Amino acid sequence: MHVIDPPLVSAAAIQARIGELAFEIEADFGGSPLALVCVLKGGLFFAADLLRQLSMPVSLDFIRAQSYAGRHSKGTVEVSLWPSIPLHGEAVLIVEDILDTGRTTDALMTRLRELRPARLALCTLLDKPSRRIFPIKADYVGFTIPDRFVVGYGLDCDERYRNLPAIHALEPD
Ligand code: XMP
Ligand code: MG
């Protein structure tokens, strides 16, 4: 496997877009408090950078889920970390690295809705709409990308490449 240069999205473009997303989020939510829920591990850097651009009071929590597709089932999503802050009545923003088929995010949003937040919105850094199976639409999208496997800025391939500052496509050698 090798990382393709130049990056699909540069580090500067990521930071500039995060500034725009923060502006949009602030306009939509006003100055009211926001509970940010970062989807680990891929959403780590995006959440950290977005959080620092938001000026309303924000709390931060984490969620972790993995999707397993059974032979005959549509796949199940196993949650291995759940927010510790009560989200009932809160304005909640889920922060994701990438929206692919939508299976993981769809399951997470269904389960988070059961906690009865006042509002539940979704922000994803990357969107691959061509791969979507579950009818899910993010409220905030950083970049819409083609159907390529990408790494960097939190995204991994077998736990490698998360530390790259930009987003690169990955190709077999
Ligand atoms: P679903 O299909 O549930 O998948 O929307 C979302 C999860 O799949 C992983 N994923 C990727 N990870 N580069 C990655 O590093 C990619 O191009 C990619 N596409 C999907 C990711 O963990 C995401 O949360
Ligand atoms: Mg991954």
Side-chain angles (χ1 to χ4, degrees):
M1 302 285 252
H2 75 279
V3 162
I4 296 173
D5 272 318
L8 212 54
V9 189
S10 71
I14 294 171
Q15 293 309 318
R17 185 71 186 120
I18 289 174
E20 294 172 353
L21 290 172
F23 188 82
E24 275 183 54
I25 292 165
E26 283 184 357
D28 291 351
F29 286 83
S32 54
L34 187 64
L36 203 143
V37 176
C38 166
V39 184
L40 291 175
K41 300 176 187 176
L44 180 69
F45 301 147
F46 180 39
D49 285 338
L50 181 64
L51 196 72
R52 284 178 287 182
Q53 299 264 359
L54 294 170
S55 56
M56 73 268 267
V58 284
S59 64
L60 174 64
D61 216 327
F62 300 96
I63 198 166
R64 186 153 188 222
Q66 266 155 317
S67 169
Y68 300 93
R71 243 185 340 150
H72 300 294
S73 75
K74 280 185 253 150
T76 54
V77 173
E78 192 176 285
V79 177
S80 55
L81 181 68
W82 191 244
S84 57
I85 298 173
L87 299 175
H88 180 89
E90 301 284 319
V92 175
L93 181 68
I94 304 175
V95 178
E96 271 270 28
D97 53 355
I98 187 163
L99 206 50
D100 192 48
T101 66
R103 173 178 280 123
T104 319
T105 312
D106 183 61
L108 283 179
M109 289 189 82
T110 302
R111 294 191 51 181
L112 283 168
R113 262 187 213 106
E114 289 165 8
L115 300 179
R116 302 246 171 268
R119 188 170 171 184
L120 186 64
L122 172 64
C123 178
T124 186
L125 177 65
L126 304 173
D127 190 10
K128 279 190 205 174
S130 60
R131 294 254 312 156
R132 198 79 85 254
I133 295 171
F134 292 77
I136 197 163
K137 213 170 163 288
D139 301 276
Y140 308 96
V141 175
F143 301 92
T144 300
I145 60 164
D147 182 14
R148 304 284 299 275
F149 195 84
V150 292
V151 295
Y153 194 67
L155 291 131
D156 74 305
C157 177
D158 292 335
E159 296 302 324
R160 258 193 87 187
Y161 307 118
R162 289 194 200 277
N163 55 325
L164 295 176
I167 306 230
H168 300 255
L170 194 64
E171 238 169 42
D173 287 321

